[in-house]
Amino acid sequence: MTYFPDTADFQKLSDHKRKMEDFSLRTALEGPGRFEKYSHSLENMVFDFSKHLITDETQDLLLSLAHSMDIEDIRDKMFAGEKINITENRAVLHTALRAPRSSSIMVDGENVIPFIYDVLDQMRSFSESVRSGHHKGYTGQSITDIVHIGIGGSDLGPRFVVDSLVDFCSGPALHFVSNVDGHDISSTLKKLSPETTLFIIASKTFATEETMLNAEVAKRWLLQSAPLGSISKHFVALSTNEEAVLRFGILKENMFPFRDWVGGRYSLWSAIGLSIALAVGFEHFRALLDGAHAMDQHFKTAPFDQNIPVLMAMIGIWYINFWGYTAHLLLPYDARLGKIAKFAQQMDMESNGKAVDRDGNIVDYATGPVIFGEPGTDSQHSFMQLVHQSPTPIPADFLIVKKPSHDLKENHNSLIANFLAQTRALAIGQTLDEAGSDISRVFTGNRPTTSIILPELTPFYLGMLIAAYEHKVFVQGVIWNLNSFDQPGVELGKKLAKPLKENIISQKIDPSLDGSTKGLLKTLIG
Ligand code: F6P
């Protein structure tokens, strides 16, 4: 694969960036037609890129770079089930999970679609049985509470979706436990009754320390009052590891499988999404998959100059690799989307925060921004000070839903006004003159933002939105020549924790540890 700083387009973009240092977003936005030219609509969802530091030349150069880095080729290989996760020798097929039943996608000589639909059928029948009250606990009562135990991709996706689709939640109450900190599970269990609680153990490997510890705590809690046989009524597993699931004591018929070609951070569409189906009903889960599939089709077929994920990705590359901007902000102007940054953090930073490229070379360019964000308008009274005025600009995505699910018109009018005012202030700024010669009130402007408008916050539109971010991350990973689908960077910490835990249990401090760790350990266990 070409080293992307060696491409002719990279050189041209570097030269172009120097010219663009004089670009004024304020002036550009005063001209006609910029919104029409740089905004795109798909299924009435709007992505507006007009408040970016781009001209036609910038866009042409960025898209030419995208073509020269073989995005189409690797994209098609991903959709076709080729093993593009080269370090783990795996296909990457979260897109297959939302493909129609009539599709055919081959992995190792097997069409994976029938397997996907078998699991979806299993999810449908189980979720309907629990939601209708048909599935009973060990004392014959229906399930009122579900505890989803998982971490990372086995937590963040379902948690974000269930939170966002609060208006569609009609099933038993859902609780999420991820942290190994005992406060997380103990505070959750305190509120629940074993007779009416269902535990969902979500773990691709069924070996993740946090999840397995919490699952054992849950099992002990149930068995304090229930007979051993009750596990079959109160525990289900979402996993690829049947052997470990059976060893834990969960029956095979209570396991919802998926395959190794589903990456953890792309797994909400798989059996890991069972909690979503339980919370909102299977039909709404299906609509979520359909929304993602609509975005997949767009990503697969739209020319690059109209391709929303490609444009999101390449505009990101522009700032990260040419302007040196190191962060990216997600601001949902909708409380229901409040966890989007937390979700996108894992998807983006665990996928592309890498130091070695697909050819085994250490990279010497930035690979991915720090993602952060909180709901607007709260952030306006918090970190937006820095975003408006600190010397280093932070590109941001502003998200809003056109039609709220409440009828508080004045609140919504205020929300829209603030949403618009923030992106406008960031773009056009305020001159010294306009600030009445008060230098502390000068805003440089030229701070780039994407505005995203969802017509309504339905499962379909949420599916589209998440898939757009997934494909953005994919495109950036290809540009940086990374394998976006492994995560070696999380392993060292896990490895070091094991002997430290032995030190803690034995109360014996390993003398070969570094001085700081020894000191801290002594303080903690002393
Ligand atoms: O943090 C590393 C990681 O492997 C994530 O990629 C994954 O989503 C998470 O741990 C949970 O893994 P599992 O689903 O196997 O418990």
Side-chain angles (χ1 to χ4, degrees), residues 217-460:
V217 171
K219 188 160 75 174
R220 283 200 300 275
W221 179 80
L222 175 76
L223 296 181
Q224 267 167 20
S225 48
L228 195 57
S230 62
I231 292 181
S232 63
K233 296 184 166 64
H234 291 269
F235 273 84
V236 300
L238 322 175
S239 188
T240 59
N241 186 349
E242 187 180 314
E243 205 187 314
V245 168
L246 298 182
R247 215 179 312 123
F248 180 86
I250 294 176
L251 301 179
K252 187 168 177 197
E253 62 258 36
N254 290 335
M255 173 176 167
F256 296 77
F258 57 106
R259 298 270 173 89
D260 69 0
W261 38 256
V262 182
R265 48 200 174 271
Y266 302 90
S267 64
L268 72 92
W269 323 99
S270 72
I272 292 288
L274 179 67
S275 302
I276 303 171
L278 282 160
V280 301
F282 188 82
E283 291 313 314
H284 292 310
F285 180 66
R286 181 68 248 179
L288 182 84
L289 300 180
D290 292 343
H293 179 66
M295 187 55 77
D296 293 343
Q297 292 302 104
H298 166 82
F299 176 54
K300 246 166 95 166
T301 56
F304 279 7
D305 62 353
Q306 290 157 46
N307 196 309
I308 290 162
V310 170
L311 291 166
M312 288 167 85
M314 296 314 295
I315 289 171
I317 296 280
W318 178 226
Y319 296 122
I320 296 162
N321 298 111
F322 296 92
W323 291 77
Y325 297 167
T326 54
H328 187 91
L329 177 57
L330 293 184
L331 285 164
Y333 273 67
D334 192 301
R336 296 168 296 176
L337 293 171
K339 292 207 171 74
I340 191 168
K342 221 168 148 38
F343 169 67
Q345 260 168 2
Q346 190 210 15
M347 193 215 291
D348 200 318
M349 295 167 79
E350 199 176 63
S351 295
N352 287 342
K354 310 271 168 74
V356 176
D357 73 12
R358 292 169 67 88
D359 303 313
N361 306 308
I362 294 184
V363 298
D364 57 1
Y365 41 80
T367 57
V370 174
I371 304 274
F372 73 108
E374 287 292 330
T377 57
D378 307 70
S379 22
Q380 292 170 210
H381 300 271
S382 165
F383 56 76
M384 287 306 284
Q385 165 62 46
L386 181 145
V387 180
H388 280 286
Q389 285 190 314
S390 92
T392 312
I394 299 176
D397 295 352
F398 279 66
L399 300 108
I400 196 164
V401 178
K402 183 173 175 182
K403 193 167 164 236
S405 63
H406 59 74
D407 55 7
L408 303 170
K409 202 156 178 40
E410 206 182 326
N411 285 61
H412 196 58
N413 290 344
S414 255
L415 186 78
I416 297 176
N418 277 283
F419 168 85
L420 297 172
Q422 289 294 311
T423 57
R424 190 168 143 72
L426 288 163
I428 69 167
Q430 179 163 267
T431 63
L432 189 58
D433 220 25
E434 288 161 348
S437 299
D438 178 352
I439 196 159
S440 72
R441 292 184 186 277
V442 169
F443 291 69
T444 56
N446 257 10
R447 294 181 182 231
T449 58
T450 298
S451 295
I452 302 175
I453 304 177
L454 284 73
E456 283 181 76
L457 189 43
T458 59
F460 184 87

Side-chain angles (χ1 to χ4, degrees), residues 88 149-156 202-212 238-240 258 263-267 272 346 350 485-487 489-491 494:
E88 297 176 329
I149 299 179
I151 197 163
S154 298
D155 165 71
L156 291 162
S203 176
K204 180 174 170 177
T205 54
F206 228 71
T208 302
E209 190 193 11
E210 293 93 329
T211 301
M212 296 329 295
L238 322 175
S239 188
T240 59
F258 57 106
R265 48 200 174 271
Y266 302 90
S267 64
I272 292 288
Q346 190 210 15
E350 199 176 63
F485 302 101
D486 62 3
Q487 53 285 323
V490 304
E491 294 306 328
K494 286 188 200 170

